[in-house]
Amino acid sequence: MSHGVGAGETPDVQGYVFSVARALNADAIRQWDTVTFDAVLVLAEQFRYYSGRRTLIAWNHHFGWSLGIEGQRTDRVLIIGGLGIGRCPKPEVIADRVDELAADLMHLECRSPDNFPVPTLVHRFGTASAAHEPPCR
């Protein structure tokens, strides 16, 4: 597993993120900008509906964990939705919730693709790509 953790690189935060990564058997831990997300954990699971992009969860220490998929580049993620289990739940609780949401998405993928959630694109704060994009009007 490759890694790098945000949120000031404190041992408590690193330990928490590593514990969550172990509980989920994450393939990688990506450092993020500590404004949008503190860390992004890349998982092995993929969804055909999302063109085979790998699933991820992203953590913001103020708002908690969100489920998403990889973007076209490493400075982008597409967020499907929040896990809805608090800011710093136990790793086992996160793993159970991710499994539950993945099962729900697999069910939609097979049975009702028209109801598949449309993810929201999130850029890493301060990247050149985010800074040069024109504002929405």
Side-chain angles (χ1 to χ4, degrees):
M1 169 178 20
S2 59
H3 64 279
V5 183
E9 300 285 336
T10 64
D12 290 345
V13 168
Q14 282 184 349
Y16 177 63
V17 172
F18 288 146
S19 295
V20 173
R22 277 192 302 275
L24 291 164
N25 293 320
D27 285 347
I29 301 172
R30 292 191 184 148
Q31 185 172 358
W32 207 250
D33 59 30
T34 69
V35 175
T36 312
F37 298 115
D38 297 286
V40 173
L41 307 181
V42 181
L43 310 176
E45 291 82 12
Q46 300 175 346
F47 294 104
R48 189 175 55 239
Y49 183 85
Y50 292 130
S51 302
R53 293 181 188 184
R54 290 191 300 174
T55 305
L56 57 82
I57 62 168
W59 181 54
N60 175 295
H61 67 279
H62 294 292
F63 303 108
W65 293 91
S66 297
L67 180 70
I69 55 173
E70 290 182 307
Q72 291 289 340
R73 299 174 9 185
T74 58
D75 65 341
R76 300 175 183 180
V77 296
L78 292 111
I79 298 299
I80 297 168
L83 297 186
I85 53 176
R87 292 177 14 183
C88 295
K90 291 182 179 181
E92 304 80 36
V93 173
I94 296 167
D96 287 345
R97 182 66 177 139
V98 168
D99 286 346
E100 181 182 310
L101 290 174
D104 288 348
L105 288 173
M106 290 285 209
H107 178 76
L108 282 176
E109 188 174 72
C110 295
R111 307 251 189 273
S112 184
D114 294 341
N115 293 328
F116 224 74
V118 176
T120 302
L121 177 63
V122 178
H123 293 272
R124 186 177 300 166
F125 182 75
T127 60
S129 62
H132 290 95
E133 289 192 6
C136 296
R137 294 188 189 203

